[in-house]
Amino acid sequence: METQAPLVSAVDVLFVLSGAVMVLAMHAGFAFLEVGTVRKKNQVNALVKIMADFAISTIAYFFIGYYVAYHISFFGSASTLTVDHGHELVRFFFLLTFAAAIPAIISGGIAERARFYPQLIATFFLVSLIYPLYEGLIWNNNFGFQDWLKTSLHAPFHDYAGSMVVHGMGGWIALIAVLLLGPRHGRYGKNGEIYAHPPSNIPFLALGSWVLAVGWFGFNVMSAQEINAISGLVAVNSLMAMVGGILSALVVGRNDPGFLHNGPLAGLVAVCAGSDIMHPIGALLTGLIAGGLFVWLFTFVQNRLKIDDVLGVWSLHGVCGLWGAIAAGIFGQKMFGGTGGISLVSQLIGSLAAIGIAIAGGLIIYGILKYTLGIRLSEEEEFEGADLSIHRISATPKYDQ
């Protein structure tokens, strides 16, 4: 038994590290989903933003954010960091990839007209302060929030892999950023006209969707964070929700490839919260509703509300994340085949807390940046495209022969 403990610890480290690498790969999915959706003159910017945001997120989370959420810092000697084979370090790496998803989500909403360096500044403060505040509230019981819910409602807020902690936070912050930026020039006419900007590259969009979908099984399954806690139920529920999202987006979206390839993501966003407590049929229904909800809401937001959320990240992450938290409170109940131990009211309260923190944090950070440095490209820069105006090169430069 004495020799088994170090082995289990080492296997746990490898398990969490594998999950961290899979979720790290998802950031390539975020990048190519955006590359395939934006116009060609903004493709380079999409790629650069995701990578630069990840670097800033790493610095912000390592030095500040992880401590805010879990009260653990890495300022001791290297010898103290190797306890249990450095398990706390790889746990940081794994949770960093979650934290870095916040600016990656926002990037898709503010695409084609946001200034580059102000957005990097926003990333730093979102990942170091705003996101960890809610993360610690839910996943570390900071301020006794979960204890209060358990005492009052007999169950804490349940979010196994981040429907609200990650996706909901990212989507609702993105909504504030999108509103403060305003729509792209030429997107809406003065007399109510709507000018569509169709996806520039469906193969890239599809590639991004597939990379995200595959990496999501690391996102959800490896949220166990210990090899002994791994559950095949989480894997199959993720699969069923993904398939449900595909099928409903295909039907409701009338075969539109853009909607189809966002359908699996809608299902996966929604199932994160309850993937460990639902029956697979409940997960399928969760995905079916999420896929249709995304398609309907994306169209409503863009065409009726005239909110220019380029990739529909509020619909996909914000609202489907909210639906996922509610779905966990429904399909996690024993009467619907779930494991029980869940409270729908707790799910609503925990979700409202996320929305409140996201909106307040978004207003403070993007509001200050808007009225100090400015967060939007000039009309001329936007017309030229972010690739040339920011990075001085296009995705397909024309060289003289």
Side-chain angles (χ1 to χ4, degrees):
M1 295 296 292
E2 291 181 0
T3 60
Q4 287 182 347
L7 178 60
V8 171
S9 178
V11 172
D12 283 343
V13 168
L14 181 60
F15 176 69
V16 177
L17 178 60
S18 300
V21 172
M22 289 183 71
V23 185
L24 174 62
M26 289 177 68
H27 289 265
F30 281 120
F32 278 96
L33 191 73
E34 185 173 335
V35 167
T37 305
V38 299
R39 289 170 289 181
K40 290 182 179 180
K41 61 184 180 179
N42 297 295
Q43 290 179 329
V44 171
N45 181 245
L47 293 169
V48 173
K49 276 192 302 177
I50 300 298
M51 183 163 282
D53 276 335
F54 189 87
I56 296 296
S57 296
T58 302
I59 299 301
Y61 200 63
F62 182 84
F63 287 101
I64 304 173
Y66 195 71
Y67 181 82
V68 170
Y70 301 103
H71 312 310
I72 295 172
S73 68
F74 301 111
F75 294 106
S77 67
S79 61
T80 64
L81 302 179
T82 59
V83 176
D84 293 331
H85 300 275
H87 185 270
E88 196 63 48
L89 286 173
V90 294
R91 182 171 180 263
F92 152 77
F93 184 10
F94 180 65
L95 292 172
L96 160 68
T97 59
F98 283 48
I102 300 298
I105 291 167
I106 295 168
S107 176
I110 64 176
E112 301 201 329
R113 76 272 202 203
R115 293 183 63 200
F116 184 63
Y117 284 105
Q119 174 54 27
L120 292 185
I121 294 172
T123 292
F124 180 86
F125 288 104
L126 289 171
V127 176
S128 64
L129 298 174
I130 306 303
Y131 167 74
L133 175 63
Y134 184 67
E135 178 189 17
L137 204 69
I138 303 305
W139 285 344
N140 199 46
N141 191 31
N142 290 352
F143 307 109
F145 181 74
Q146 292 284 45
D147 286 341
W148 170 69
L149 287 176
K150 188 174 182 179
T151 300
S152 304
L153 301 166
H154 309 294
F157 177 71
H158 188 89
D159 192 351
Y160 183 71
S163 284
M164 281 306 294
V165 174
V166 179
H167 301 285
M169 284 290 290
W172 286 88
I173 293 171
L175 175 63
I176 299 303
V178 167
L179 291 173
L180 289 175
L181 272 173
R184 289 166 288 179
H185 290 292
R187 182 70 174 88
Y188 303 111
K190 295 181 179 179
N191 298 315
E193 306 93 339
I194 300 172
Y195 301 101
H197 296 321
S200 62
N201 192 309
I202 295 297
F204 276 160
L205 190 158
L207 174 64
S209 176
W210 272 108
V211 171
L212 282 166
V214 172
W216 222 294
F217 287 85
F219 197 99
N220 284 4
V221 175
M222 269 70 165
S223 285
Q225 298 187 36
E226 295 179 355
I227 193 70
N228 288 333
I230 192 170
S231 171
L233 180 65
V234 176
V236 172
N237 280 346
S238 299
L239 174 67
M240 296 300 281
M242 180 184 80
V243 169
I246 293 171
L247 294 176
S248 60
L250 175 65
V251 174
V252 179
R254 300 180 180 180
N255 307 325
D256 182 286
F259 287 140
L260 170 69
H261 286 96
N262 276 283
L265 310 184
L268 286 163
V269 164
V271 82
C272 285
S275 57
D276 63 325
I277 60 173
M278 293 180 181
H279 187 279
I281 296 175
L284 177 63
L285 292 172
T286 297
L288 283 167
I289 294 171
L293 180 63
F294 166 73
V295 174
W296 175 81
L297 195 57
F298 180 92
T299 304
F300 181 78
V301 167
Q302 298 278 347
N303 297 342
R304 297 292 295 276
L305 300 182
K306 292 185 172 59
I307 297 174
D308 192 14
D309 179 356
V310 179
L311 268 67
V313 297
W314 177 63
S315 306
L316 181 65
H317 297 273
V319 177
C320 287
L322 174 60
W323 158 239
I326 294 171
I330 298 171
F331 297 115
Q333 302 285 351
K334 288 185 177 181
M335 70 178 72
F336 295 112
T339 63
I342 190 85
S343 164
L344 180 57
V345 178
S346 289
Q347 295 303 104
L348 291 170
I349 293 173
S351 297
L352 290 174
I355 293 170
I357 292 172
I359 290 175
L363 284 171
I364 292 169
I365 291 174
Y366 283 103
I368 291 173
L369 287 171
K370 178 175 181 176
Y371 294 107
T372 53
L373 300 178
I375 58 175
R376 179 158 185 159
L377 296 173
S378 68
E379 186 171 356
E380 182 180 350
E381 290 171 328
E382 186 181 332
F383 178 80
E384 185 179 36
D387 293 357
L388 291 176
S389 62
I390 296 174
H391 308 290
R392 309 304 179 197
I393 191 170
S394 69
T396 54
K398 297 177 181 179
Y399 297 106
D400 292 332
Q401 300 296 323

